[in-house]
Amino acid sequence: MAARLVITISVADIGARITTRRRVPGGFRDAVGVLESWEGGVLRIRKRDGTLVEISEETLVAGRVVPAAPPRPEPM
C-alpha cells in the first residue's frame, strides 16, 4: 500500500510543531520544527537546532501538526 501525502496544516498552526515534505530536484526533503510564519506563500520553520527553513508552499506535498519533541537526555 502506498503512503498518502496530505497537507493538513494552515496559517492557524503558526506556533505549532509540524512536519513537512517538499519537492526538491531529484526527490523530496523533510523538515520538522515550529512553524514561525506563513506569509507570501513561504513557510518558515524553526528546526530543533535553531536553523530556519523556508519552504515555498508551491513545493509542499505533505504537512501535519506533530506532538512536541521528547526531551533530550541529560549529559552524563
Side-chain angles (χ1 to χ4, degrees):
M1 176 185 263
R4 207 173 91 209
L5 299 175
V6 178
I7 300 171
T8 60
I9 56 174
S10 71
V11 175
D13 294 312
I14 291 173
R17 184 171 180 258
I18 64 168
T19 182
T20 61
R21 176 161 288 174
R22 65 191 182 276
R23 288 184 310 275
V24 296
F28 297 95
R29 186 113 193 212
D30 298 336
V32 178
V34 175
L35 179 60
E36 289 196 348
S37 68
W38 190 336
E39 297 174 347
V42 177
L43 291 79
R44 288 174 185 81
I45 301 168
R46 181 75 56 186
K47 293 173 47 175
R48 187 179 213 175
D49 66 4
T51 59
L52 186 65
V53 177
E54 293 187 345
I55 299 173
S56 169
E57 66 184 21
E58 294 174 348
T59 65
L60 197 61
V61 295
R64 67 184 176 101
V65 175
V66 293
R72 291 185 175 193
E74 296 284 329
M76 300 193 128

